[in-house]
């Protein structure tokens, strides 16, 4: 898939779901997602809304849509919401997870869901560094060049790093994220795990607002949108 957003002549999630809705209802709709995910990024908690005129039992909507969708896209649940609900603008916070396979050989089965890094990482130092990101900060150091966002100030409610066997997970919850922000944070924390950056230096990188001081942008395949909250 080429990501969430509908683009001409490209296979994308938004366009595929809109196609399925039209088959089921006979109506053309524009669905609204809680946010865009780039090509290669996974999502198990994406939320989208749309309006239709046809009366279809809501308990049958997910089943009906899944019957028309490619197997790479699954609707987990459908429900009726208030008219003023907007999956993007009424969102309160999102949680992303970046997974790093820290084994020597990597994985074949989960290669599209994990970033393979064979050099041993210190997840405890990575977790220590992640704590400096919590709070309201200017995340200019962690945004891709050319980002169109007017402000780079965001609030991070939680950020932590865990290990389970060879799998390291960087989990971040915030009120919004800049383009490539989580992938750059993950790349910076990876360098902390390598010993190239000290945990406390992440605070200096954050306050310096200089993208060149942060780590590299890790590949899209390790990133997953886990949850979108509206309360």
């Amino acid at each position: 898939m080429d990501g969430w957003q509908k683009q001409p002549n490209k296979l994308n999630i938004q366009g595929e779901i809109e196609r399925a809705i039209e088959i089921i209802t006979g109506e053309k709709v524009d669905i609204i997602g809680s946010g865009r995910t780039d090509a290669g990024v996974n999502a198990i908690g994406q939320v989208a809304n749309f309006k239709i005129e046809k009366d279809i039992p809501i308990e049958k909507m997910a089943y009906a849509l899944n019957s028309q969708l490619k197997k790479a896209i699954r609707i987990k649940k459908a429900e009726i919401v208030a008219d003023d609900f907007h999956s993007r603008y009424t969102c309160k916070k999102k949680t992303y997870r970046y997974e790093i396979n820290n084994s020597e050989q990597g994985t074949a089965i989960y290669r599209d869901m994990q970033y393979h890094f064979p050099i041993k990482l210190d997840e405890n130092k990575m977790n220590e560094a992640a704590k400096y990101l919590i709070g309201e900060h200017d995340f200019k150091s962690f945004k891709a060049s050319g980002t169109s966002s007017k402000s780079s100030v965001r609030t991070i409610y939680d950020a932590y790093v865990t290990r389970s066997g060879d799998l390291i997970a960087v989990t971040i919850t915030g009120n919004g994220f800049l383009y490539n922000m989580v992938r750059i944070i993950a790349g910076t924390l990876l360098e902390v795990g390598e010993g190239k950056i000290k945990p406390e230096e992440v605070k200096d990188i954050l306050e310096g607002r200089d993208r060149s001081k942060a780590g590299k942008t890790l590949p899209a395949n390790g990133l997953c949108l886990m949850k979108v909250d509206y309360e």
Side-chain angles (χ1 to χ4, degrees):
M1 289 286 177
D2 284 303
W4 168 266
Q5 191 173 30
K6 185 167 53 180
Q7 300 178 61
N9 304 316
K10 287 189 175 183
L11 190 61
N12 57 82
I13 297 169
Q14 180 184 357
E16 285 297 304
I17 296 176
E18 289 177 357
R19 179 188 63 81
I21 293 171
E22 185 174 2
I23 292 172
I24 298 299
T25 68
E27 302 175 36
K28 286 183 175 293
V29 299
D30 290 318
I31 65 172
I32 301 168
S34 66
R36 294 185 297 176
T37 52
D38 295 330
V41 174
N42 300 291
I44 64 172
Q46 177 68 286
V47 175
N49 67 280
F50 61 91
K51 291 183 179 181
I52 55 172
E53 299 297 329
K54 190 169 184 177
D55 186 17
I56 296 178
I58 193 63
E59 64 271 14
K60 295 183 178 180
M61 179 63 77
Y63 177 82
L65 291 177
N66 284 333
S67 71
Q68 300 299 324
L69 288 168
K70 298 180 183 298
K71 291 183 178 180
I73 307 172
R74 294 288 91 180
I75 307 300
K76 296 168 64 177
K77 181 182 178 182
E79 59 184 87
I80 296 172
V81 295
D83 286 340
D84 62 352
F85 177 85
H86 191 290
S87 59
R88 180 181 176 188
Y89 296 134
T90 56
C91 167
K92 300 298 184 184
K93 56 185 178 180
K94 296 179 182 179
T95 299
Y96 280 92
R97 183 174 67 199
Y98 196 95
E99 292 193 350
I100 302 170
N101 187 305
N102 199 208
S103 66
E104 289 186 7
Q105 306 302 331
T107 175
I109 296 175
Y110 301 110
R111 65 188 182 279
D112 294 330
M113 301 177 67
Q114 300 171 1
Y115 169 60
H116 178 224
F117 190 79
I119 301 171
K120 182 73 171 179
L121 297 171
D122 186 332
E123 71 277 7
N124 293 318
K125 288 185 177 179
M126 294 171 69
N127 186 54
E128 180 184 345
K131 300 307 177 185
Y132 290 102
L133 303 171
I134 297 174
E136 184 180 80
H137 304 287
D138 186 335
F139 284 90
K140 188 174 182 180
S141 295
F142 299 96
K143 75 171 186 177
S145 59
T147 301
S148 58
S149 301
K150 293 181 180 179
S151 172
S152 50
V153 175
R154 297 291 186 273
T155 299
I156 298 299
Y157 301 112
D158 201 5
Y160 57 92
V161 179
T162 56
R163 177 189 283 272
S164 178
D166 289 323
L167 187 64
I168 292 176
V170 178
T171 304
I172 302 177
T173 300
N175 66 348
F177 294 90
L178 302 163
Y179 183 55
N180 283 351
M181 177 174 160
V182 179
R183 289 163 60 187
I184 296 169
I185 287 174
T188 305
L189 295 180
L190 183 145
E191 292 191 17
V192 172
E194 282 187 278
K196 293 181 177 179
I197 298 174
K198 294 179 181 179
E200 59 271 21
E201 290 178 340
V202 169
K203 183 176 184 292
D204 297 329
I205 293 171
L206 184 63
E207 295 175 349
R209 302 176 188 176
D210 183 351
R211 171 67 187 93
S212 68
K213 302 299 183 182
K216 64 181 179 180
T217 305
L218 294 188
N221 62 300
L223 184 61
C224 185
L225 173 60
M226 301 300 294
K227 187 180 181 183
V228 181
D229 289 302
Y230 292 91
E231 295 181 355

